[in-house]
Amino acid sequence: MSKKLTTETGQPWADNQHSQTAGSRGPVLMQDYDLLEKLAHFDRERIPERVVHAKGAGAKGEFVLENDMSKYTKADLFNGSGKKTPLIMRFSQVAGEKGYPDTVRDVRGFSVKFYTQKGNYDIVGNNTPVFFVNDPLKFPDFIHSQKRDPKTNRRTQTMQWDFWSHSPESLHQVTYLMGDRGLPTSYREMNGYGSHTFKWVNKNGEQFWIKYHLKSDQGVVNMTNDAAEKISGKDTDFLQNDLFDAIDNENYPSWTMYVQILPYEEGLHYKWDIFDVTKTVSHKDYPLIKVGKLTLNENPSNNFTDVEEAAFSPANLIPGIEASPDKLLQGRLFSYKDTQRYRLGVNFEDLPINKPINEVHNYERDGSMKINNQGSEVNYEPNSFDGPKETLAASVTPVDLEGHSGNQPYNYKVDYTTQAGDLYRLFTDDEKDRLIETIKDCLLQVDSQEIKTLEIKQMYKADPEYGSRVAKALNLNIDEILSTEY
């Protein structure tokens, strides 16, 4: 038996083909509330797209813990080998709008929401282990440089290279982006990283610094500039479609989660600042430890409610997992939920895709589109009516702080070129050739000599061959570049 057409409030809908009119030729009657409701809803079908990571794709699945990590963390999903936790993952592009081709060179977002027994836990990362900036004050400016020129409304190489050349901390990430990993062949064939350093705490209160690595079990596969350009002209949703079709054909993609674990005091005195997100921690110093496997086995039943309305935030932490002093992470703890309140409304966490699987009890009430208003439960505290009580065991573990207040940069072993040079030297000869060619194609579109000079000098400091090759590719004299001051 076919379903009966109804209004949003359940009344039967008599005619969905013809408006009510005064005579067969019209005009339309204002009393046709079905028409007015349909048009009013249609007018509001598009929520504001994400400021960044607007275009993306996602799917549901599960995480299976393969190595009990209770020695390091009391976090629910990492305790008890074999434990299964449902999840949703979303992959995305950083800069492009929702209609932009998803094969354009860009960093890819890599976000996971775990529905644990102790609340939702989100890892909101990228397919690179570092980022362009390490201070949240610079983040809006960075994103503006990746978006559109306010006069021409074009995305320009000048804007982004201008920002990068005046932000030396960006070089490590720029080298990743301009290299092969800037063009993944599919979402299935790229790694994911938490990027920031986080803190794990076990049931005894012992603290450890950790970094997340999610390695693709399909391997890492990238495409060339020519291939990406051809595909973007044929299918602007290539990466999205690949993910959906793979899962639809029961070719379920998976990632193995690893962590690097640094003892608390050792981490504070490591050779690099582990709270600077432009830096990595050497695998030789702290090898990867296997944790478990994430598998995607269910496509969205409705892309809007399952993917567009999905709201991720690094502030979604559970007992046993805490934030580090990382400045950029600290800014993200506020910004991510705040942008969701703008995009989806103040009660976005009531939406089914964002609801935790455990019960919610607090003193937050009302607001637009509130779904779970907690009935007749008392809505203030303190109270004498047995309202929700604090869970002291969930308290954040204290961190010792030192120094003075004020606007100040990182000052612990500041060096923004060595790791970029290390990355360059890890590339094969073919990878280096493609990196130089990509940078050349980009910088040829930049007229400013200052921008080119500043960027090449940074590359030269990272590795003389790196800077010299870029200069040669642009028909510039490296000696003149190195002697020029701005």
Side-chain angles (χ1 to χ4, degrees):
M1 185 176 179
S2 62
K3 297 182 177 71
K4 301 295 185 183
L5 184 66
T6 72
T7 66
E8 280 291 294
T9 46
Q11 295 96 346
W13 194 306
D15 190 335
N16 195 34
Q17 311 303 318
H18 309 101
S19 304
Q20 293 184 31
T21 60
S24 62
R25 301 183 69 182
V28 172
L29 297 177
M30 189 172 181
Q31 73 179 33
D32 190 351
Y33 56 85
D34 287 338
L35 169 67
L36 299 183
E37 287 297 308
K38 188 174 185 178
L39 290 178
H41 188 279
F42 175 76
D43 292 346
R44 294 162 175 80
E45 280 186 358
R46 294 295 172 265
I47 59 177
E49 70 176 30
R50 291 168 168 88
V51 178
V52 289
H53 299 277
K55 180 155 189 170
K60 299 176 182 179
E62 68 175 8
F63 170 70
V64 178
L65 182 64
E66 297 179 351
N67 182 15
D68 181 85
M69 305 301 290
S70 56
K71 178 180 177 181
Y72 305 105
T73 177
K74 59 185 177 183
D76 169 73
L77 74 164
F78 298 136
N79 282 215
S81 184
K83 188 167 192 174
K84 297 181 179 180
T85 303
L87 58 81
I88 183 170
M89 294 174 64
R90 184 176 186 269
F91 310 94
S92 55
Q93 282 65 248
V94 171
E97 299 90 357
K98 190 166 170 54
Y100 219 68
D102 60 11
T103 50
V104 171
R105 183 176 294 275
D106 202 348
V107 173
R108 265 58 184 194
F110 194 112
S111 297
V112 190
K113 184 184 294 292
F114 300 92
Y115 301 96
T116 86
Q117 299 297 321
K118 299 295 184 181
N120 292 349
Y121 173 52
D122 295 357
I123 297 177
V124 190
N126 291 316
N127 69 331
T128 58
V130 293
F131 197 63
F132 297 95
V133 296
N134 54 20
D135 193 303
L137 198 65
K138 295 187 72 171
F139 185 78
D141 296 294
F142 161 64
I143 294 301
H144 288 169
S145 76
Q146 307 298 297
K147 292 289 189 176
R148 295 181 180 272
D149 184 287
K151 179 179 180 180
T152 65
N153 200 37
R154 298 170 181 165
R155 291 188 66 186
T156 76
Q157 294 292 338
T158 297
M159 287 173 62
Q160 63 179 9
W161 286 97
D162 190 23
F163 180 88
W164 291 337
S165 68
H166 289 87
S167 304
E169 70 271 26
S170 69
L171 182 61
H172 197 181
Q173 176 74 311
V174 167
T175 305
Y176 269 108
L177 175 60
M178 295 295 134
D180 287 356
R181 277 188 261 188
L183 292 174
T185 299
S186 75
Y187 290 135
R188 300 176 294 112
E189 295 164 310
M190 68 181 193
N191 293 338
Y193 303 88
S195 300
H196 301 285
T197 296
F198 295 89
K199 185 168 64 172
W200 275 5
V201 183
N202 67 18
K203 63 182 180 181
N204 298 321
E206 296 175 289
Q207 304 175 67
F208 305 87
W209 304 113
I210 68 104
K211 298 186 82 74
Y212 290 108
H213 301 255
L214 293 92
K215 301 290 188 180
S216 170
D217 295 326
Q218 295 71 234
V220 173
V221 184
N222 305 296
M223 64 178 77
T224 64
N225 287 326
D226 288 342
E229 185 175 355
K230 290 177 182 177
I231 291 171
S232 68
K234 294 179 179 179
D235 184 358
T236 57
D237 303 318
F238 180 81
L239 299 186
Q240 168 196 277
N241 297 340
D242 172 88
L243 178 66
F244 187 95
D245 291 344
I247 296 173
D248 204 39
N249 293 323
E250 299 183 359
N251 179 21
Y252 302 135
S254 63
W255 290 260
T256 300
M257 177 189 284
Y258 298 87
V259 290
Q260 288 176 285
I261 301 178
L262 291 74
Y264 186 84
E265 287 297 329
E266 283 185 30
L268 295 177
H269 301 96
Y270 185 58
K271 61 185 178 183
W272 300 110
D273 190 338
I274 65 171
F275 306 131
D276 179 347
V277 73
T278 67
K279 303 290 194 299
T280 58
V281 172
S282 170
H283 292 192
K284 294 179 181 178
D285 296 334
Y286 297 98
L288 298 180
I289 299 173
K290 186 176 181 180
V291 181
K293 188 179 294 292
L294 299 85
T295 303
L296 294 179
N297 54 23
E298 181 184 349
N299 274 317
S301 56
N302 182 285
N303 190 75
F304 184 82
T305 57
D306 290 349
V307 181
E308 276 303 293
E309 289 191 325
F312 299 86
S313 171
N316 285 337
L317 301 166
I318 58 174
I321 307 173
E322 300 176 6
S324 76
D326 180 327
K327 294 180 184 180
L328 190 66
L329 173 60
Q330 294 280 317
R332 294 177 74 205
L333 296 178
F334 163 75
S335 184
Y336 275 62
K337 289 209 175 190
D338 189 55
T339 194
Q340 303 297 357
R341 281 187 284 269
Y342 167 72
R343 192 175 72 89
L344 298 170
V346 66
N347 290 308
F348 70 90
E349 287 170 321
D350 274 3
L351 295 169
I353 198 64
N354 298 320
K355 283 188 65 173
I357 58 177
N358 56 317
E359 290 187 359
V360 171
H361 298 284
N362 55 44
Y363 296 99
E364 293 182 6
R365 296 292 190 277
D366 307 342
S368 177
M369 302 297 287
K370 185 64 177 171
I371 298 171
N372 174 24
N373 217 23
Q374 303 181 58
S376 60
E377 290 186 15
V378 61
N379 64 350
Y380 58 88
E381 191 187 30
N383 63 75
S384 56
F385 299 102
D386 197 28
K389 303 292 193 302
E390 297 97 335
T391 303
L392 294 179
S395 298
V396 174
T397 311
V399 176
D400 292 333
L401 303 176
E402 60 181 21
H404 59 273
S405 63
N407 301 87
Q408 47 198 317
Y410 282 101
N411 60 12
Y412 178 75
K413 301 182 179 179
V414 177
D415 177 343
Y416 294 129
T417 55
T418 297
Q419 287 202 357
D422 291 341
L423 177 61
Y424 175 80
R425 289 183 287 274
L426 280 176
F427 290 164
T428 65
D429 289 343
D430 287 345
E431 287 175 321
K432 288 179 181 177
D433 290 344
R434 290 191 291 271
L435 170 72
I436 302 303
E437 185 69 18
T438 296
I439 294 173
K440 180 197 78 172
D441 290 345
C442 292
L443 287 178
L444 280 175
Q445 301 175 54
V446 176
D447 293 331
S448 168
Q449 188 63 31
E450 177 182 346
I451 293 172
K452 295 174 184 176
T453 297
L454 291 173
E455 193 65 52
I456 291 172
K457 289 176 75 171
Q458 293 170 25
M459 293 170 175
Y460 187 91
K461 189 174 181 181
D463 187 287
E465 178 188 282
Y466 188 4
S468 297
R469 288 191 63 182
V470 172
K472 183 178 180 180
L474 295 171
N475 293 317
L476 298 174
N477 185 300
I478 188 62
D479 293 328
E480 291 181 8
I481 292 285
L482 296 177
S483 62
T484 301
E485 295 294 335
Y486 284 101

